[in-house]
């Protein structure tokens, strides 16, 4: 059980929280490959209650903790101070998926009471100025670099903040009237950047998505989720869902950029060398294969309810997926990868056709040269054989170039080959210049189509 909670034994999935808990989820750029550590599986780091059996069967798909450190709250410094919200406990985790997509999780429990206004400012500070968050007077990730294997990763573009209200704030959210509840939720979900005016018409695109079950309440936007009244194991399950969604969104953004980079590489490739073109196609094909693996095991594995098939988490997962636009982005990215695959296949086919045509031209040239050489060599061979015999028609005192004496021999040696060349040239010319279509004519002639009729029924002239 987490600090500041007291579980109601009769309602297993709901609880009364004494202190507000906030989890900050930051995507990390680059890839951090999971490695064997003593931390074990993620299911061993938190209490997941009745959800644990589902997670045990999905351990190979779940993110793996590569860092889990309980930190003294005084070591954490925010860019603009703590806004009067001191921390009772602080836990920092870094988890990474089997594909190497890492997420930084900062688990905070506040020491005293929290108001919606102070909490909104605290959330805004830790989101918009997250690069300036320090641990031990150094940037947060630099301090954690040693535990992460040396070079610190950079913070990515995606942030989600899970708020589990406690104490007076929880009671107020669960018991207040709808107008007051809307004001509080709007201030927290939009981090104080979107003032709420109850007199204005209801706008579904601006209002937080709210589910109120009496004992529990859920409200979420793209960057902040408020979950009130849930038991600790449900809170941890919701955190796991949010981690998967943030990781999937980061993968989609990286895949989109990689697809554009490969498209540019394909368009800007200026080479006539078959070896270089094959190398380009090989690189593009490897990149597309990596994108397909990312979309399958970095996105699709986390956007459905298979990991925790429970109604409590399915509603949050569906709402957060819609708020982040993951489903549409996944479909668009998948179509982009398919078209990129088609372009690579077309370029490969064009290369194969060009190489086949070049090989055919080379074979025809070599065959022609061999035939010409054979044709030229045979008559001199016959003549040399004639002059080499001791025949009565060969006079050793005459030159072999004496056409008057040996004209008949020259004519008999060259005339058949000249006739053969002329006949072959005539036949090839007749074949290449023959008239008619290469395709057979259709079996049936086109049917006669009558001219169109005018609206009155008479034929137009």
């Amino acid at each position: 059980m987490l600090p500041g909670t007291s579980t109601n034994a009769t309602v297993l999935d709901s609880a009364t929280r004494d202190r507000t808990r906030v989890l900050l989820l930051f995507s990390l750029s680059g890839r951090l490959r999971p490695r064997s550590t003593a931390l074990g599986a993620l299911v061993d780091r938190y209490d997941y209650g009745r959800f644990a059996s589902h997670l045990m069967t999905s351990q190979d798909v779940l993110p793996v903790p590569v860092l889990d450190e309980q930190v003294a709250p005084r070591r954490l410094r925010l860019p603009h101070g703590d806004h009067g919200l001191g921390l009772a406990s602080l836990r920092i985790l870094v988890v990474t998926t089997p594909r190497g997509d890492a997420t930084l999780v900062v688990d905070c429990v506040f020491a005293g009471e929290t108001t919606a206004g102070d909490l909104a400012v605290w959330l805004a500070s830790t989101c918009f100025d997250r690069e300036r968050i320090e641990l031990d007077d150094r940037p947060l990730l630099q301090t954690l670099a040693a535990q992460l294997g040396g070079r610190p990763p950079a913070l990515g573009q995606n942030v989600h903040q899970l708020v589990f209200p406690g104490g007076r704030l929880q009671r107020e959210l669960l018991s207040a009237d709808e107008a007051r509840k809307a004001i509080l939720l709007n201030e927290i979900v939009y981090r104080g950047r979107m003032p709420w005016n109850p007199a204005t018409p209801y706008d579904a695109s601006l209002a937080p998505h709210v589910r109120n079950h009496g004992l529990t309440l859920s409200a979420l936007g793209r960057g902040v989720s408020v979950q009130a009244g849930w038991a600790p194991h449900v809170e941890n399950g919701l955190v796991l869902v949010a981690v998967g969604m943030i990781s999937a969104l980061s993968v989609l953004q990286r895949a989109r950029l990689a697809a554009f980079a490969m498209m540019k590489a394909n368009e800007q490739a200026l080479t006539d060398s078959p070896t270089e073109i094959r190398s380009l196609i090989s690189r593009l094909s490897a990149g597309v294969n990596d994108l397909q693996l990312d979309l399958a095991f970095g996105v699709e594995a986390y956007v459905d309810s298979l990991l925790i098939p429970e109604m409590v988490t399915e509603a949050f997962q569906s709402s957060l997926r819609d708020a982040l636009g993951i489903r549409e982005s996944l479909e668009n990215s998948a179509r982009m990868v398919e078209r990129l695959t088609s372009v690579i296949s077309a370029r490969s086919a064009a290369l194969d056709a060009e190489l086949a045509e070049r090989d055919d031209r080379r074979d025809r040239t070599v065959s022609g040269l061999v035939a010409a050489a054979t044709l030229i060599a045979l008559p001199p061979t016959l003549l040399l054989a004639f002059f080499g015999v001791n025949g009565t028609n060969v006079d050793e005192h005459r030159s072999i170039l004496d056409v008057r004496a040996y004209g008949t021999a020259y004519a008999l040696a060259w005339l058949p080959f000249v006739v053969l060349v002329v006949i072959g040239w005539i036949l090839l010319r007749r074949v290449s210049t023959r008239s008619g279509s290469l395709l057979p004519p259709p079996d049936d002639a086109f049917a006669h189509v009558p001219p169109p009729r005018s609206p009155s029924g008479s034929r137009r002239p």
Side-chain angles (χ1 to χ4, degrees):
M1 185 182 299
L2 294 176
T5 61
S6 58
T7 306
N8 185 346
T10 60
V11 184
L12 296 179
D13 287 337
S14 64
T16 300
R17 172 170 284 280
D18 297 328
R19 297 171 179 174
T20 298
R21 179 190 182 195
V22 174
L23 283 101
L24 311 176
L25 309 182
F26 303 110
S27 65
L28 300 179
S29 62
R31 290 193 176 186
L32 186 63
R33 296 294 183 181
R35 60 184 186 273
S36 299
T37 64
L39 297 178
L42 186 61
V43 68
D44 300 325
R45 311 314 300 172
Y46 278 103
D47 174 25
Y48 292 98
R50 63 188 181 91
F51 302 150
S53 59
H54 299 301
L55 301 180
M56 291 294 293
T57 61
S58 305
Q59 288 191 63
D60 293 338
V61 184
L62 293 176
V64 177
V66 295
L67 184 147
D68 185 1
E69 184 177 352
Q70 197 76 32
V71 180
R74 65 178 180 277
R75 296 173 57 191
L76 186 71
R77 295 180 182 273
L78 301 185
H80 308 290
D82 59 9
H83 307 284
L85 300 178
L87 296 180
S89 66
L90 176 64
R91 186 178 183 182
I92 298 178
L93 297 93
V94 175
V95 297
T96 181
T97 67
R99 294 288 296 168
D101 301 296
T103 303
L104 172 64
V105 181
V106 182
D107 190 346
C108 306
V109 176
F110 293 101
E113 294 289 349
T114 55
T115 65
D118 292 339
L119 190 58
V121 177
W122 193 92
L123 293 173
S125 178
T126 53
C127 173
F128 304 122
D129 297 318
R130 56 187 178 275
E131 293 86 359
R132 298 168 57 190
I133 298 177
E134 295 181 349
L135 188 66
D136 297 333
D137 297 326
R138 296 175 58 196
L140 176 59
L141 291 178
Q142 288 187 13
T143 307
L144 303 176
Q147 295 97 314
L148 297 177
R151 184 178 179 181
L155 291 172
Q157 296 296 318
N158 301 298
V159 179
H160 195 79
Q161 298 166 311
L162 281 157
V163 178
F164 302 105
R168 185 168 56 248
L169 181 59
Q170 179 186 11
R171 294 190 295 272
E172 189 173 11
L173 285 172
L174 293 177
S175 61
D177 58 72
E178 293 302 320
R180 176 61 180 168
K181 188 178 302 181
I183 294 174
L184 295 174
L185 291 175
N186 188 82
E187 188 167 16
I188 297 174
V189 169
Y190 292 103
R191 306 184 183 101
R193 303 302 173 95
M194 186 71 68
W196 175 263
N197 184 3
T200 59
Y202 177 78
D203 188 349
S205 63
L206 296 179
H209 185 72
V210 181
R211 284 190 176 92
N212 190 353
H213 304 288
L215 293 175
T216 61
L217 179 144
S218 299
L220 64 89
R222 185 178 179 88
V224 178
S225 299
V226 179
Q227 308 289 335
W230 296 109
H233 69 275
V234 178
E235 294 179 355
N236 296 332
L238 299 179
V239 172
L240 181 58
V241 169
V243 168
M245 289 296 175
I246 290 298
S247 176
L249 187 60
S250 300
V251 173
L252 282 173
Q253 293 173 345
R254 187 183 68 239
R256 187 73 60 89
L257 294 176
F260 273 97
M262 284 187 281
M263 179 197 68
K264 290 182 180 179
N266 178 69
E267 291 179 348
Q268 297 174 358
L270 300 175
T271 178
D272 293 328
S273 169
T275 302
E276 294 181 359
I277 295 176
R278 282 197 179 101
S279 178
L280 173 65
I281 292 175
S282 178
R283 293 196 307 270
L284 294 178
S285 299
V288 168
N289 291 338
D290 197 56
L291 287 182
Q292 291 174 340
L293 289 175
D294 278 339
L295 294 180
F297 297 98
V299 181
E300 293 175 347
Y302 302 108
V303 298
D304 56 29
S305 59
L306 187 60
L307 293 179
I308 307 180
E310 297 284 348
M311 292 182 62
V312 176
T313 57
E314 284 180 8
F316 173 68
Q317 186 177 46
S318 176
S319 300
L320 185 58
R321 183 181 62 228
D322 294 342
L324 297 176
I326 290 180
R327 182 71 70 184
E328 294 78 7
S329 299
L330 176 60
E331 294 175 355
N332 293 335
S333 298
R335 283 194 294 268
M336 291 174 62
V337 173
E338 290 176 1
R339 286 168 173 79
L340 191 59
T341 303
S342 300
V343 170
I344 296 172
S345 300
R347 168 158 282 204
S348 179
L351 175 62
D352 293 340
E354 182 65 26
L355 292 177
E357 183 179 355
R358 188 190 67 175
D359 293 341
D360 187 50
R361 290 196 304 266
R362 181 183 59 191
D363 294 341
R364 290 199 304 268
T365 301
V366 172
S367 300
L369 291 175
V370 172
T374 304
L375 186 64
I376 294 173
L378 282 176
T381 303
L382 293 176
L383 290 173
L384 291 175
F386 170 74
F387 289 113
V389 298
N390 294 324
T392 58
N393 293 329
V394 179
D395 188 353
E396 61 180 359
H397 300 291
R398 291 180 179 273
S399 173
I400 64 174
L401 300 178
D402 191 346
V403 180
R404 291 182 180 181
Y406 304 116
T408 303
Y410 276 96
L412 291 176
W414 281 100
L415 185 60
F417 297 100
V418 173
V419 173
L420 181 62
V421 170
V422 172
I423 293 175
W425 180 79
I426 294 174
L427 292 177
L428 289 175
R429 185 170 179 82
R430 289 182 61 186
V431 170
S432 62
T433 58
R434 68 174 184 173
S435 60
S437 173
L438 296 176
L439 297 176
D443 295 335
D444 300 327
F446 289 105
H448 175 70
V449 179
R453 295 178 178 273
S454 62
S456 60
S458 60
R459 292 182 180 272
R460 294 182 180 177

